[in-house]
Amino acid sequence: MTIDTVALLAVAAFSAGVLNAIAGGGSFLTFPALVFAGVPPISPSPHPTGRCCT
């Protein structure tokens, strides 16, 4: 992972936390950031409780 990717994920995580505290829906920021960072779209499940089954 490059420093740019780490910085993007850190900003997305912080912004998602702020968004969740105010209105909810922080996964709208974290999901695309994780996919951009190279995580397969199945792993970062957009459901708040996470994946139940594999």
Side-chain angles (χ1 to χ4, degrees):
M1 240 191 269
T2 64
I3 191 71
D4 295 335
T5 305
V6 172
L8 171 77
L9 292 175
V11 168
F14 179 78
S15 300
V18 170
L19 184 60
N20 272 333
I22 295 171
S27 59
F28 286 115
L29 296 175
T30 55
F31 185 74
L34 288 170
V35 171
F36 178 77
V39 178
I42 299 300
S43 295
S45 176
H47 193 273
T49 58
R51 285 182 17 193
C52 303
C53 307
T54 56

